[in-house]
Amino acid sequence: ILSLMALPAFAAPEAYRLNEETSVVGFTYSFQGNETQGRMPVQSAEMLLDLDNVPASKVNVTLDASRAKAGFIFATQTMKGPQVLNTADFPSIQFRSTEITGDLSGATVRGNLTIRDVTRPVTLQAGLFRQSGTQIGDRSKLIVQLTGTISRSAYGAGGFPGFVDDTIALNIIARIER
């Protein structure tokens, strides 16, 4: 995967769609001191990207928390339960960008994340890459990697603190295309 820094200029923001089958919204948490990984499917995504003026880009994503997997069945059931995500009452998680800074070599995405009807600001680091098999200059199929951390208790999802650490690490791989 090569960076997009040497691509020719294009004129305006463009809509991209997420390939849900090949994208991964991954998260890592510590369960009794052991690093454990989970995944959450995307319900919908609206992405308007201006690759020549990255700050003009906007992202709005909804995750399907009710279909999340937390690594093993006990953790998955607990995560969806009333003391953590409470997916019976709050089946989705939403992210809406408010500011994007940087350029194609690296960007910072700030936005509002809503979990359990609690909205807090979050900051993610973003990298943008060409997908394998695409030609230099081809912007039709890209990979966006977003990383960051959140505090689950800040969103009212702090159940079972003796078993699960408060910090959740995010590693999102989004394969997008025009």
Side-chain angles (χ1 to χ4, degrees):
I1 300 172
L2 300 173
S3 177
L4 294 173
M5 294 209 36
L7 294 178
F10 288 82
E14 297 185 66
Y16 281 79
R17 72 173 182 80
L18 181 74
N19 183 329
E20 295 174 15
E21 292 179 21
T22 60
S23 297
V24 178
V25 178
F27 59 92
T28 304
Y29 63 98
S30 178
F31 177 76
Q32 294 185 321
N34 297 309
E35 188 174 284
T36 306
Q37 296 186 11
R39 329 177 87 166
M40 194 169 296
V42 176
Q43 184 174 318
S44 65
E46 299 171 17
M47 294 172 283
L48 187 61
L49 303 181
D50 187 334
L51 301 180
D52 298 313
N53 181 18
V54 172
S57 302
K58 298 201 180 300
V59 177
N60 183 16
V61 178
T62 301
L63 304 178
D64 186 350
S66 67
R67 292 183 30 225
K69 307 265 187 222
F72 57 99
I73 191 67
F74 169 74
T76 297
Q77 291 172 337
T78 303
M79 176 186 66
K80 293 179 185 181
Q83 293 182 311
V84 185
L85 292 180
N86 190 11
T87 60
D89 293 331
F90 308 103
S92 64
I93 293 174
Q94 306 216 336
F95 174 79
R96 182 178 301 271
S97 66
T98 57
E99 178 184 34
I100 300 175
T101 57
D103 55 31
L104 295 180
S105 65
T108 299
V109 180
R110 290 179 182 80
N112 291 319
L113 181 64
T114 302
I115 301 173
R116 292 179 55 116
D117 222 15
V118 175
T119 302
R120 300 262 187 262
V122 65
T123 300
L124 303 171
Q125 299 306 308
L128 187 64
F129 309 91
R130 286 187 303 113
Q131 287 189 29
S132 176
T134 59
Q135 299 296 316
I136 292 175
D138 182 355
R139 295 179 170 194
S140 64
K141 294 182 179 182
L142 304 172
I143 296 173
V144 179
Q145 180 179 21
L146 299 159
T147 58
T149 60
I150 61 169
S151 161
R152 63 191 188 94
S153 63
Y155 295 92
F160 307 99
F163 296 98
V164 179
D165 284 352
D166 187 52
T167 300
I168 305 296
L170 303 173
N171 185 21
I172 302 162
I173 304 294
R175 286 179 173 78
I176 61 174
E177 25 189 92
R178 285 190 292 215

